[in-house]
Amino acid sequence: MLVERGTRIRLHPSARLALGGRLFLGGCAPQGDPFGERVIATRRTTVFLGAGATLVTGGDVFCKSGVQLSIAQDAEVRIGAGSMINRDSELLCTTSVTIGADTMISWRVSIMDNDGHIVRRAGEWSGLCAPIVIGDRVLVGGDVRIHKGVTIGDGAVVAAGSLVNRDVPAGALVAGSPAKVVGEVEEWI
């Protein structure tokens, strides 16, 4: 694990880190990173794992400066090899979030498998949690919100500013709030 100075890490004694490669936290990055340390984040990188929480990586994973990873009690986050979560993004997990290999999450993206609150309507409680699955080689643009219960298929692209609150098919280009399929993607760089 390579950690940028100022990064906050809080692991419960029963939390589990299963790193299948290097985990880069903050601005530290291998030589050749075109952005390196030149871009300034607006907050510190923070990693929190509650009691019984698990973080699993399948290889080298990059979490840039200002990323917030919060994994609640007994929740699990899996991130595939070669994936990156860019500056000032947040991943808030209370059940399960899976990010496939070679997936790129852009700036200021919010990934939440919960609503952050529970609401009672007509005597019923709602707003609970549901797992999120983001496939392999997915590109998520800046300022995107990914909500609970969503699956984003392999090779999909989510346009900047989108709100993803329903499943995205593999290879689809989605945009808007709420996000809708606006095209297909063969490949992205």
Side-chain angles (χ1 to χ4, degrees), residues 81-143:
S83 288
M84 180 177 72
I85 302 174
N86 220 317
R87 289 174 169 73
D88 294 327
S89 291
E90 60 186 0
L91 188 156
L92 307 175
C93 176
T94 55
T95 54
S96 172
V97 174
T98 301
I99 298 173
D102 299 315
T103 288
M104 299 298 151
I105 309 292
S106 192
W107 292 272
R108 294 177 308 276
V109 171
S110 176
I111 301 169
M112 294 178 58
D113 71 350
N114 63 85
D115 289 334
H117 59 273
I118 299 173
V119 176
R120 186 172 173 184
R121 292 178 56 206
E124 298 292 322
W125 290 100
S126 65
L128 301 177
C129 312
I132 293 173
V133 177
I134 301 172
D136 294 336
R137 199 151 168 70
V138 171
L139 176 61
V140 178
D143 294 305

